[in-house]
Amino acid sequence: MLTPHSYVLLSTDADSDTPLNAFDEALRASGVANFNFIGVSSILPRYCRQAPLREVRNIQEGSFMYCVMSRIESDTPGATISSAIACATTTSTVGCVAEFKGHCSGTEAEREAIRRARAMVASRDAEVESIETTSATHVVTQCGCSVSLCLLLY
């Protein structure tokens, strides 16, 4: 079994001529465009802890990268879009990752992601030890994308 030892949070945004290109440009801006992302559900092993983005630089480009992703795209000029991720750790059980995306500010997106992460931990009869968040907000020019990621490192 693969069990992640750490996670990296990052958020980014971009605008381009198509939603797909905006997504790619956002990933390129954050330096993680050359991975194949595999979405996973929202659980962190008990001792999984946050790592800096530089940890990802050691992984071979083209590799599979497991992640929890929050992604929103829009082709409505002037629209505000945001994505957010919240990672809640506990001392007694697994940690939980919650995502949110919407037509709102990054602050609102983070607030909702935190609310969801707290609810996930509470449903496990546990208490939150810490919560780390990330978010990105984008005002669309042509086609925009906001993406937040929790990358799982093995």
Side-chain angles (χ1 to χ4, degrees), residues 8-143:
V8 173
L9 292 176
L10 68 94
S11 289
T12 185
D13 65 282
D15 218 88
S16 192
D17 59 337
T18 69
L20 177 62
N21 290 351
F23 175 60
D24 186 54
E25 288 300 317
L27 294 177
R28 284 174 24 86
S30 65
V32 297
N34 293 338
F35 294 105
N36 292 297
F37 294 103
I38 298 173
V40 298
S41 63
S42 304
I43 300 300
L44 295 173
R46 186 170 174 192
Y47 297 105
C48 193
R49 293 293 180 243
Q50 188 173 10
L53 181 58
R54 69 177 176 269
E55 298 279 329
V56 176
R57 305 289 185 242
N58 299 327
I59 300 171
Q60 182 177 350
E61 291 183 333
S63 294
F64 292 124
M65 177 71 68
Y66 293 96
C67 71
V68 177
M69 181 184 299
S70 175
R71 172 181 169 183
I72 185 169
E73 296 155 340
S74 175
D75 60 1
T76 304
T80 298
I81 55 175
S82 295
S83 62
I85 296 269
C87 293
T89 59
T90 73
T91 56
S92 60
T93 187
V94 295
C96 298
V97 183
E99 66 272 5
F100 181 78
K101 61 185 177 203
H103 292 268
C104 59
S105 70
T107 302
E108 292 170 298
E110 277 192 33
R111 189 178 312 125
E112 180 58 21
I114 290 169
R115 187 193 69 74
R116 292 176 179 196
R118 286 188 182 282
M120 292 171 72
V121 168
S123 72
R124 288 167 172 76
D125 295 322
E127 292 185 22
V128 172
E129 177 185 25
S130 68
I131 297 183
E132 302 294 334
T133 62
T134 185
S135 65
T137 300
H138 185 79
V139 178
V140 178
T141 302
Q142 196 174 11
C143 289

